[in-house]
Amino acid sequence: MTTAMTPVQRKVTRPRADALRNRERIVTAAREMFVEFGPDVPLDEIARRAGVGNATLYRNFPDRDALVREVVVSVMDRTAEAAEQALAETGDAFAALERFVHVSADERISALCPMISSTFDQFHPDLEASRERVEQLIDEIMERARRAGQLRTDVGVGDLMVAVAQLSRPPAGTGCLSADRFVHRHLQLFLDGLRAPARSVLPGTAATMEDLRQP
């Protein structure tokens, strides 16, 4: 006679708080060192700056690609969250746009994103999801600012991202961080130039993100 077996209820294990803190320390240290030295910085050095052992780093990130991907995703997610928070707090689309631009500079998004454009898998689902979230959010905020008469009508998301990239670098590993003190000043000059009414006629047409992806 066969006796029916009662399914064993397995307890779902969750990462311990200290494990989550270690992971965050690794990502923070990696972001800092990728900006300072470029994507080829030794992983052992990242572990040392994070204050964790090599085994802990590799337990969280089995290879360099996984770590770079997590760093870039976390940066894009934080910039999107900053814009969303500004919009929720103020209801002001242009203020949300300003918050996104300045936080992007602080997070070094312009120095980190090129790391996934060649040697790393830029089509990884995690990267695509974060990238789409940022692009859609900023496109919606810019459209809302246009409708409110705050934003000139002849600029697109591509124009914004090109300017942020150009004004908030130096590129990773160049050692030109002394220019940092000018970044937010020049970004604010650029943002003031986005306000409506436009003071000039721009050559060409508004750039989209698809334009930027063309070779």
Side-chain angles (χ1 to χ4, degrees):
M1 180 176 178
T2 303
T3 303
M5 298 294 292
T6 302
V8 176
Q9 296 295 322
R10 296 186 180 276
K11 183 179 180 181
V12 177
T13 58
R14 297 180 180 178
R16 301 193 317 271
D18 58 339
L20 293 173
R21 284 193 296 270
N22 283 340
R23 185 179 177 88
E24 183 60 32
R25 280 199 291 265
I26 292 168
V27 172
T28 298
R31 180 180 70 85
E32 293 171 353
M33 297 192 78
F34 288 156
V35 169
E36 292 174 30
F37 306 110
D40 296 325
V41 62
L43 297 185
D44 292 352
E45 294 297 323
I46 293 174
R48 185 173 296 111
R49 177 173 292 196
V52 302
N54 291 357
T56 298
L57 187 149
Y58 285 108
R59 187 162 56 247
N60 282 276
F61 305 102
D63 54 36
R64 185 180 299 274
D65 285 20
L67 180 55
V68 170
R69 184 166 57 247
E70 180 69 15
V71 168
V72 176
V73 165
S74 69
V75 165
M76 287 194 290
D77 287 349
R78 282 198 296 272
T79 58
E81 288 163 5
E84 289 174 333
Q85 182 179 359
L87 194 58
E89 290 174 351
T90 68
D92 186 321
F94 203 92
L97 194 65
E98 288 183 316
R99 179 81 66 88
F100 169 78
V101 167
H102 286 294
V103 171
S104 294
D106 286 338
E107 292 287 346
R108 302 287 186 182
I109 196 171
S110 63
L112 292 171
C113 284
M115 293 180 186
I116 60 169
S117 64
S118 55
T119 56
F120 298 99
D121 178 12
Q122 59 182 311
F123 301 110
H124 189 281
D126 291 349
L127 288 173
E128 288 197 318
S130 289
R131 187 162 49 223
E132 288 173 6
R133 177 191 179 197
V134 170
E135 291 174 11
Q136 290 174 4
L137 174 64
I138 300 308
D139 188 48
E140 291 170 6
I141 288 174
M142 291 179 73
E143 180 57 31
R144 184 166 172 173
R146 286 190 202 96
R147 291 197 303 267
Q150 297 173 301
L151 179 69
R152 57 189 299 165
T153 59
D154 55 352
V155 293
V157 178
D159 294 307
L160 181 80
M161 299 309 293
V162 167
V164 171
Q166 292 177 338
L167 293 173
S168 65
R169 271 184 196 173
T174 61
C176 297
L177 300 180
S178 60
D180 274 3
R181 63 186 184 278
F182 302 115
V183 167
H184 290 288
R185 174 183 174 86
H186 294 160
L187 284 173
Q188 192 60 48
L189 283 170
F190 161 70
L191 286 163
D192 287 348
L194 293 182
R195 287 189 177 276
R199 300 295 195 272
S200 62
V201 177
L202 296 177
T205 58
T208 67
M209 293 305 297
E210 288 304 317
D211 292 331
L212 300 188
R213 295 191 181 101
Q214 297 300 317

